[in-house]
Amino acid sequence: MASEDFEVAIIGAGPGGITAAYHLLRSGITKFVILERAGDFGGSWRDNVYPGLAVDIPTLFYQFPFARKADWSRLFPVGPEIQRYNQQVAADLNLYKYFRGSCAVEREVWDDRAQVWVLDIAGDEPVRARFVINAVGGYINAKSADTIAGTDDFRGTILRPNSWDTEYSCRGRRVAVIGTGSSSVQIVAAVVDEAEHVDVYQRTPSWILPKPDFAFSPRAQRVLAIPGVAAAINGALLAAMEIPLQLICHVLPLLPRRLLATLLPQYDKIWRGLYRIMLRHRVSNEADRSALVPNYGILAKRPVLSSSFFTALESDSAALVVHPIERITPDGIRTMDGTERAYDLIVLATGYELFTDPETYQPGKTLGPNGFDLADDYRDKGLRSYGGSAHPGLPNRWSLVAPQGFVGAAWHTFVDLTARHAIRIITETGRRDAAVAQVRTEAFDRWVRKMHRHGKVISTYTVDCNPGLRTYFVNSQGEALYYRPQTISGALWFSRFSSLDDYFFTPHN
């Protein structure tokens, strides 16, 4: 098969890819392709099918702003309902027409002579496109199991949240769940009643807060179906976030860093006291209560929402294990205190490679003109982006999920803002009859300095006040590059009205 030429190639068919495709169609651009390594739309909601899977953001906010759904079953729907929604939105937009599944992009190379991107596809001919929108999500691949010795020796079953065997039954099995993040908390609560026993291996405790979930009545669904109601609710939340974000991004950064490092932990002392009170009512074992109290700030790591995890731990068939794991043995797990426990199933819920870690970006995978390599640049100069999406070394290319990119209440808001910006510049490039759009280095550097100033509170809190913490919000280099320190209104304005002079537009060769 010969290589194919497109105006735009979208890499990834999760919420970001769907959003980018929607805005392309809305702009009148139809010569595009959606390249997806898996077989369908959905991203994480396609890949994760583990028991207990549910969204941890109220669904009124966790949906596409251009395709709001009124008949959600509950405030926090389960994973299959979210995935059906993704597929339905893609079908309604006729995106399967542009979709190419089982199409893993192995390398992106800019052809400066032809002024196009050449995308190397595993087992197939390359795809050529003038513009690339990288819509790969924030959680790239599950972390390697190599960090735990002995995984290859285990004679039982090992499962991961994103590669769950739906045919496997936990009934009557002895189960070990390694990790206490969102996935593990949901899995434990879902399988504890059918398993013979479940051990939860905790290295770092999570802030686990009550989940105010409830089913939507038919009447509530009818109200949400009234035009403008769902959008108004979402808008009210975003408006409510303006004041605290103004404080975090513009007011508090005026204070000295040392003073911030003194004041911010006082906030966490209040929360930790309230958390201890909650645990006294939910967990009877005093040793477990003590082990479950995080020693880091409540906003330094993503809190987990669950009203069933502590109930599961109280079951006679569940236990919390806090001793570090020495290794996985042929029959189970041995901890550093010498205790070995036998299991039929080990669940590795140990997290993902993140878009904020420089190790996630492999040399030779994303190559711009004049020998530019994104991975080398990130390692040498640090992870940076312009507007959460662009880089001056990569013409005609945007990432919807980039360092210091996340802004908003939920993922759909975030990728909608970055997609709007990318497609605005693509459209402007066509309007000018230009071939290449590239963010200017001076504009990029100016933006990075601005984000550094506005991110002072975030970095002080997550890094200085919580030293040594490794979370979604603090990368492997101890940098806080997850959040984009900007207000919702500022990010919305930028997506629609940012200065076009920040880009230079090059004519066709």
Side-chain angles (χ1 to χ4, degrees):
M1 181 185 296
S3 62
E4 294 185 53
D5 290 358
F6 295 92
E7 185 72 5
V8 183
I10 299 171
I11 304 175
I18 294 172
T19 300
Y22 164 79
H23 285 293
L24 284 174
L25 291 172
R26 192 164 176 259
S27 299
I29 299 172
T30 58
K31 193 179 180 182
F32 66 88
V33 64
I34 303 170
L35 305 173
E36 169 56 52
R37 64 181 178 179
D40 202 349
F41 288 92
S44 293
W45 298 105
R46 174 202 59 230
D47 298 338
N48 288 270
V49 292
Y50 61 81
L53 174 65
V55 69
D56 56 3
I57 299 290
T59 189
L60 297 178
F61 315 119
Y62 193 83
Q63 56 183 314
F64 298 103
F66 51 83
R68 300 194 187 277
K69 172 178 158 71
D71 59 346
W72 292 106
S73 64
R74 55 193 316 107
L75 186 61
F76 293 89
V78 296
E81 185 174 2
I82 296 285
Q83 175 57 357
R84 288 194 298 272
Y85 167 65
N86 289 328
Q87 294 170 317
Q88 187 61 56
V89 172
D92 290 345
L93 294 174
N94 199 24
L95 296 187
Y96 283 94
K97 170 183 176 182
Y98 306 94
F99 178 80
R100 184 179 295 182
S102 302
C103 195
V105 177
E106 294 189 321
R107 196 167 71 137
E108 306 168 52
V109 182
W110 174 254
D111 183 339
D112 207 29
R113 184 175 182 179
Q115 297 175 311
V116 298
W117 282 97
V118 180
L119 308 181
D120 291 340
I121 309 299
D124 206 340
E125 291 298 318
V127 168
R128 296 160 59 90
R130 285 186 63 202
F131 303 96
V132 166
I133 297 176
N134 187 311
V136 174
Y139 313 113
I140 316 298
N141 296 303
K143 286 182 180 177
S144 171
D146 295 342
T147 55
I148 303 176
T151 51
D152 292 336
D153 299 331
F154 185 58
R155 289 192 288 249
T157 301
I158 293 180
L159 294 177
R160 289 181 174 277
N162 69 331
S163 57
W164 196 269
D165 180 1
T166 56
E167 299 298 318
Y168 186 90
S169 172
C170 293
R171 186 167 301 281
R173 308 295 180 94
R174 293 186 59 84
V175 180
V177 180
I178 301 176
T180 51
S182 294
S183 299
S184 58
V185 164
Q186 292 178 344
I187 291 169
V188 169
V191 307
V192 69
D193 289 337
E194 64 174 328
E196 177 186 328
H197 186 81
V198 178
D199 282 331
V200 183
Y201 283 79
Q202 173 185 277
R203 182 177 63 178
T204 304
S206 292
W207 288 88
I208 302 175
L209 306 178
K211 188 175 187 177
D213 195 16
F214 56 85
F216 283 128
S217 67
R219 181 180 180 182
Q221 292 173 339
R222 288 195 296 272
V223 171
L224 291 173
I226 298 173
V229 169
I233 293 173
N234 187 71
L237 173 70
L238 297 182
M241 293 177 64
E242 277 296 295
I243 293 177
L245 285 176
Q246 287 283 356
L247 188 68
I248 291 169
C249 299
H250 299 294
V251 178
L252 290 179
L254 299 176
L255 299 177
R257 198 176 186 100
R258 182 175 297 179
L259 179 58
L260 286 172
T262 301
L263 293 176
L264 293 175
Q266 307 311 311
Y267 171 83
D268 290 322
K269 286 182 179 179
I270 297 171
W271 275 103
R272 193 167 289 109
L274 294 172
Y275 198 69
R276 291 181 188 276
I277 293 172
M278 182 193 71
L279 287 176
R280 279 202 297 269
H281 288 86
R282 301 295 306 278
V283 180
S284 59
N285 185 288
E286 185 176 350
D288 285 353
R289 285 203 304 268
S290 178
L292 287 166
V293 177
N295 62 2
Y296 56 88
I298 189 170
L299 298 179
K301 185 178 180 180
R302 186 177 180 181
V304 176
L305 294 185
S306 175
S307 296
S308 54
F309 178 72
F310 295 133
T311 302
L313 275 186
E314 286 292 279
S315 168
D316 292 337
S317 60
L320 183 69
V321 181
V322 296
H323 289 102
I325 295 173
E326 178 185 327
R327 67 177 294 111
I328 293 175
T329 67
D331 296 315
I333 296 176
R334 184 166 64 240
T335 50
M336 292 294 188
D337 64 346
T339 302
E340 183 168 343
R341 299 171 178 85
Y343 300 108
D344 302 296
L345 169 66
I346 295 176
V347 179
L348 295 178
T350 51
Y352 294 87
E353 299 173 358
L354 297 179
F355 70 99
T356 54
D357 289 323
E359 300 84 6
T360 298
Y361 303 88
Q362 300 176 20
K365 295 294 187 180
T366 307
L367 305 177
N370 304 315
F372 178 86
D373 188 316
L374 181 64
D376 291 342
D377 183 80
Y378 277 171
R379 282 171 174 76
D380 295 342
K381 300 179 182 178
L383 282 78
R384 296 109 54 239
S385 70
Y386 169 83
S389 60
H391 195 291
L394 301 172
N396 284 10
R397 183 188 184 277
W398 294 264
S399 288
L400 301 191
V401 181
Q404 280 196 319
F406 185 84
V407 64
W411 199 259
H412 296 77
T413 302
F414 158 42
V415 294
D416 189 73
L417 291 170
T418 48
R420 280 178 182 271
H421 172 72
I423 290 154
R424 175 171 175 255
I425 303 302
I426 290 173
T427 303
E428 180 65 19
T429 307
R431 190 189 69 80
R432 297 187 183 204
D433 195 26
V436 177
Q438 190 167 355
V439 65
R440 297 180 184 275
T441 300
E442 55 270 26
F444 177 82
D445 292 341
R446 185 170 61 248
W447 178 271
V448 171
R449 290 193 299 269
K450 177 182 176 181
M451 292 298 100
H452 180 74
R453 291 194 307 271
H454 291 179
K456 181 179 178 181
V457 174
I458 295 173
S459 63
T460 300
Y461 177 78
T462 55
V463 178
D464 297 358
C465 298
N466 296 277
L469 188 64
R470 172 72 172 91
T471 75
Y472 285 173
F473 303 152
V474 181
N475 73 2
S476 58
Q477 308 303 307
E479 301 169 305
L481 299 175
Y482 187 93
Y483 283 112
R484 175 170 158 184
Q486 192 173 31
T487 62
I488 304 296
S489 61
L492 181 61
W493 184 93
F494 178 88
S495 71
R496 297 184 179 187
F497 306 110
S498 60
S499 175
L500 295 175
D501 291 337
D502 285 357
Y503 283 82
F504 61 84
F505 298 86
T506 305
H508 295 272
N509 286 337

